[in-house]
Amino acid sequence: MKEPILISTLVNQEISKVWEAQTKPEHITGWNFAHESWHCPHASVDLRVGGTYVARMEARDGSFGFDFEAVYTEIDPEKSFVYEFGGRRAHYRFSPQDGGTAVHIEFDPETENSIEDQRNGWQAILNNFKDYCETI
C-alpha cells in the first residue's frame, strides 16, 4: 500500500470548539465539501469506538452525490480520532499551537485518483473546516 497522505492547517480557535465542529453533525454540514458547488445536506456521528460517521456529499445542482461512511476505531477526546472506511483509515490529530489549534490528518490513499488530487481535495475540505471554525 502507498504511504499515507498528510494534510494540516492551523485554526484560529480554541481546541474545544474545533473538536465540536469536527464531531457534531450540525457543524459538519457547514463545512464538509471541497468546493462551493457542493454541499453536505446531512451528517450523523456516533462518536464512540465502533460507532459510525456518515456524511452525505452532493453537488448543489443534484447531478451527483454519495454517502461517506466510516467506523471509529480510536477516540481520545479533543486530541485525536481514527476512523476506517472502505479498507482505508484516517487519523485526525488536534493540538494547541500559537493560540489556536493545529489539525493534522493522515489518510490512506485510494487507487482511482492521483495522490495530488486526493491531497488537494482533502485539503480543500480542511480549508473549509478552518474557515467555518473561525466564524463560530
Side-chain angles (χ1 to χ4, degrees):
M1 178 167 271
K2 294 181 180 178
E3 289 292 315
I5 298 169
L6 177 64
I7 59 170
S8 60
T9 194
L10 178 61
V11 180
N12 296 311
Q13 185 62 270
E14 63 188 72
I15 203 163
S16 62
K17 289 189 177 189
V18 172
W19 179 263
E20 184 175 303
Q22 184 65 233
T23 60
K24 300 286 185 187
E26 62 269 25
H27 291 297
I28 293 167
T29 57
W31 58 261
N32 192 28
F33 42 90
H35 188 269
E36 62 193 26
S37 63
W38 282 70
H39 68 139
C40 179
H42 59 84
S44 64
V45 175
D46 181 5
L47 190 61
R48 63 181 175 83
V49 172
T52 57
Y53 167 82
V54 180
R56 178 73 183 167
M57 300 174 87
E58 293 182 355
R60 289 190 187 270
D61 67 6
S63 63
F64 185 74
F66 64 93
D67 290 326
F68 179 91
E69 297 184 35
V71 176
Y72 293 100
T73 59
E74 298 174 33
I75 300 169
D76 188 358
E78 296 191 1
K79 293 184 181 165
S80 70
F81 66 80
V82 176
Y83 60 51
E84 294 182 352
F85 56 103
R88 300 162 51 209
R89 64 177 241 148
H91 185 182
Y92 288 66
R93 293 185 312 269
F94 306 86
S95 58
Q97 183 179 321
D98 299 331
T101 303
V103 180
H104 301 280
I105 304 170
E106 187 175 288
F107 65 96
D108 294 334
E110 40 95 342
T111 57
E112 293 180 26
N113 297 290
S114 73
I115 297 296
E116 182 180 350
D117 285 350
Q118 291 176 71
R119 180 180 292 112
N120 291 343
W122 281 61
Q123 186 68 54
I125 294 170
L126 186 57
N127 292 346
N128 281 349
F129 175 73
K130 171 187 169 58
D131 293 344
Y132 178 88
C133 285
E134 291 178 353
T135 66
I136 59 173

